[in-house]
Amino acid sequence: MGFFDKLFKSKNPDSKKFRRELAYAVCGQHIKYVTEKKGDVEEVIGVNGGLNIRNDEFIVYASQKVVFRCPVDDLKLWELMSRDGVVLTGPDLESGGQERTVIAFYVYYRK
C-alpha cells in the first residue's frame, strides 16, 4: 500500500473499495473458532481455520471444511471493537446463496 493509498482510504462502509480494503486487511488471519447466531443461541460452527480470498471470493475455512464463502463485493464486514475477530455478513455460496452472519475469532498472537 503506497503513500497515496493510505492518504485516500475509503471511509464509506457501503462502498466496494472499503469492503475490498478491509477484506484484504483481515485475509490471512488464523482463526480459533467461528460462530453463527441462530435465534437466541450462538453456535460454534467451526474451529481451527483461516480467512482467505480466492477468485474474488472471501472464504472462511474451519474444521477442515469451508463454512462460509461469499463474493468480496457482496460481503459486509467489520472488526470487533476488541480486534479479536471479524463479523461477516453476506450471501453464503456454501448454503445456496442464503444471507448469513458469522463471527470469526482470531487466534491470539502477541505482536
Side-chain angles (χ1 to χ4, degrees):
M1 185 179 271
F3 174 73
F4 289 108
D5 291 336
K6 289 181 183 177
L7 188 62
F8 298 112
K9 279 177 41 174
S10 178
K11 295 181 176 109
N12 179 7
D14 293 329
S15 71
K16 285 185 181 181
K17 184 177 179 184
F18 180 85
R19 291 177 187 178
R20 282 191 170 275
E21 287 173 354
L22 190 53
Y24 280 98
V26 299
C27 178
Q29 288 279 358
H30 297 281
I31 52 177
K32 190 177 355 181
Y33 56 93
V34 181
T35 63
E36 180 178 20
K37 192 166 189 172
K38 293 182 180 177
D40 293 336
V41 178
E42 194 164 347
E43 291 182 3
V44 175
I45 58 173
V47 294
N48 298 332
L51 304 175
N52 294 310
I53 295 177
R54 179 174 287 164
N55 299 331
D56 279 339
E57 291 180 346
F58 194 88
I59 299 170
V60 179
Y61 179 81
S63 296
Q64 300 179 354
K65 63 181 178 180
V66 175
V67 294
F68 183 79
R69 184 170 54 104
C70 177
V72 174
D73 291 338
D74 297 336
L75 182 67
K76 296 175 188 166
L77 69 154
W78 57 93
E79 283 194 302
L80 299 176
M81 288 180 69
S82 63
R83 300 270 183 168
D84 286 344
V86 65
V87 180
L88 308 157
T89 300
D92 183 19
L93 301 176
E94 290 297 308
S95 63
Q98 177 185 1
E99 185 85 11
R100 288 178 64 197
T101 299
V102 297
I103 304 170
F105 294 92
Y106 304 144
V107 173
Y108 173 73
Y109 289 114
R110 181 171 285 167
K111 294 181 182 178

